[in-house]
Amino acid sequence: MTNRAYNFNAGPAALPLEVLQQAQREFIDYAGTGMSIMEMSHRSSVFEGVNDGAQSLLRELFGIPSHYKVLFLQGGASTQFAMIPMNLLTPGKTAAFVHTGSWAEKAYKEAKLFGSTAIAATSEADKFNRIPALSDIQLPADTAYLHITSNETIEGTQYAAYPDTGDVTLIGDMSSDILSRPVDVSKFGMIYAGAQKNLGPSGVTIVIVREDLIAESPKTIPTMLRYDTHAKNNSLYNTPPSFSVYLVGLMLQWVKERGGVAAMEQFNRDKTKLIYDTIDQSGGFYRGFADVASRSSMNITFRLGTEELEKQFAKESEQHGFVGLKGHRSVGGLRASTYNAVPLESCKALADFMGDFMKRNG
């Protein structure tokens, strides 16, 4: 077995070794068909079983109520930024957003192309180092839906609790923390997520949506951008990203075998505590970017005293087998992404490296 990197990439991100090995075993001949998943018809009963199996596993693990659809779509979460207002922002209504950073802003800007929008709360004055207090959220009277980004990968902030929007539809972009902790899905009208952080490889986007919201999409929208197209065809209207869907199924099975989503939450807390404790006990050598109450269990963002020191840290970490620790180019600094599949050993190795780097440079 080759040495595995300590993979802290923000996405595409680490996948469990066991999942990769199973995919490797089944790669050429899936279930005795004499074909790879990538070669077979998406209309075949074998692939329909893979598609349905992944959906039902997600329903089971995430506690998705029966009146919600699970869709496997293409185009990434970024396409959802446009699909949501195209389908759900009706004339005379306003799409409201909690502005928490880079990804929330992208969703907001896209919605502006299709209708009236409003910022319901923002932490921009604090450089997005925190999630706004839920009590600060102000919804316009004509709100069609409130959109939140549950975890900001770039700034390293995450909602500790979700807003209660009453009769107003709540929509959550959970691309970077889906399945990392239990969620009351019934609080949301829609949850969506690109798979490439916690659910599998890039290429497939998961949409969990209440059926009444997508019973009929506006007839003016192109066929592929209508939710009802995909809901009525079980996500098989056109050729799906079949290998990605298959790997999502393997990833979900891996989560189930490890005790489900509640066990994942504890596992993630244990992992990130190693790194956050190192930051907090460094006497200011390392400085966490996110406000403590808003810290993410998926993306740990931190700074050092100078940019030169940060560059040295990134360079030396690469020499020690660490991958992906440079902060996003828009904010700089350093970032460790600790999604579900990142092993505890990788986080322990990073905490040890951070301690050693501080000894040598403190």
Side-chain angles (χ1 to χ4, degrees):
M1 182 68 218
T2 55
N3 284 337
R4 298 276 290 159
Y6 298 125
N7 185 353
F8 291 97
N9 275 327
L15 286 166
L17 181 59
E18 304 95 316
V19 166
L20 293 171
Q21 287 171 330
Q22 184 177 345
Q24 184 182 46
R25 287 193 300 273
E26 297 176 339
F27 187 71
I28 293 171
D29 181 3
Y30 178 74
T33 59
M35 292 179 286
S36 171
I37 282 279
M38 293 198 289
E39 299 176 287
M40 66 179 61
S41 167
H42 62 291
R43 306 283 178 213
S44 67
S45 60
V46 175
F47 183 74
E48 283 191 359
V50 169
N51 190 60
D52 292 345
Q55 282 186 35
S56 67
L57 257 178
L58 184 58
R59 284 187 179 280
E60 177 190 337
L61 289 168
F62 215 37
I64 299 171
S66 59
H67 60 294
Y68 283 69
K69 288 278 189 192
V70 174
L71 308 177
F72 296 140
L73 307 182
Q74 298 179 62
S78 296
T79 298
Q80 294 306 306
F81 298 162
M83 263 182 91
I84 290 165
M86 287 171 92
N87 283 265
L88 302 180
L89 181 52
T90 49
K93 292 282 194 174
T94 296
F97 291 79
V98 180
H99 189 2
T100 45
S102 308
W103 291 106
E105 181 166 17
K106 287 187 176 183
Y108 169 67
K109 282 183 172 173
E110 207 71 357
K112 285 176 86 166
L113 300 173
F114 299 99
S116 172
T117 54
I119 300 287
T122 180
S123 52
E124 188 169 12
D126 297 309
K127 297 184 177 171
F128 303 117
N129 77 335
R130 63 179 181 87
I131 299 295
L134 300 186
S135 56
D136 290 346
I137 297 173
Q138 302 291 322
L139 296 179
D142 59 352
T143 301
Y145 58 82
L146 174 67
H147 180 285
I148 64 168
T149 306
S150 66
N151 182 82
E152 286 281 2
T153 58
I154 291 174
E155 292 80 11
T157 59
Q158 185 179 30
Y159 282 77
Y162 296 118
D164 184 351
T165 52
D167 294 335
V168 174
T169 298
L170 179 62
I171 296 178
D173 174 0
M174 294 191 186
S175 290
S176 51
D177 67 348
I178 193 167
L179 283 201
S180 70
R181 58 183 179 177
V183 167
D184 181 357
V185 174
S186 68
K187 276 190 156 190
F188 292 82
M190 179 188 292
I191 290 168
Y192 66 98
Q196 67 273 15
K197 300 174 192 294
N198 266 336
L199 281 177
S202 60
V204 63
T205 304
I206 284 79
V207 172
I208 301 161
V209 58
R210 218 172 57 227
E211 288 176 355
D212 63 285
L213 288 175
I214 59 162
E216 289 296 330
S217 300
K219 300 287 187 283
T220 51
I221 303 176
T223 305
M224 282 296 292
L225 297 173
R226 295 168 54 133
Y227 288 117
D228 62 354
T229 299
H230 303 287
K232 288 167 186 171
N233 291 279
N234 197 29
S235 302
L236 298 172
Y237 174 78
N238 71 327
T239 309
S242 47
F243 195 71
S244 295
V245 171
Y246 153 75
L247 269 167
V248 165
L250 295 190
M251 185 77 189
L252 292 168
Q253 189 61 46
W254 179 85
V255 171
K256 183 177 179 177
E257 285 165 4
R258 267 140 201 81
V261 180
M264 276 290 133
E265 179 178 37
Q266 187 58 53
F267 176 54
N268 289 322
R269 280 185 180 159
D270 293 344
K271 289 188 313 199
T272 54
K273 186 177 189 301
L274 293 168
I275 301 167
Y276 279 127
D277 282 356
T278 303
I279 292 169
D280 293 342
Q281 293 162 14
S282 72
F285 182 81
Y286 297 108
R287 301 189 318 277
F289 173 75
D291 182 79
V292 172
S294 296
R295 277 178 169 174
S296 169
S297 64
M298 298 281 98
N299 309 95
I300 300 169
T301 49
F302 59 99
R303 304 297 308 242
L304 293 172
T306 65
E307 283 190 23
E308 286 69 32
L309 206 52
E310 288 170 353
K311 283 177 184 166
Q312 185 186 336
F313 181 97
K315 186 178 176 185
E316 285 190 26
S317 72
E318 287 169 10
Q319 292 164 352
H320 283 78
F322 295 93
V323 176
L325 291 174
K326 277 183 192 165
H328 191 272
R329 61 187 179 276
S330 65
V331 295
L334 297 152
R335 168 177 61 175
S337 296
T338 54
Y339 304 122
N340 282 355
V342 173
L344 185 72
E345 297 75 35
S346 293
C347 294
K348 184 171 187 325
L350 178 55
D352 290 345
F353 172 78
M354 289 170 72
D356 178 61
F357 186 86
M358 183 173 76
K359 270 189 201 146
R360 290 183 286 108
N361 297 280

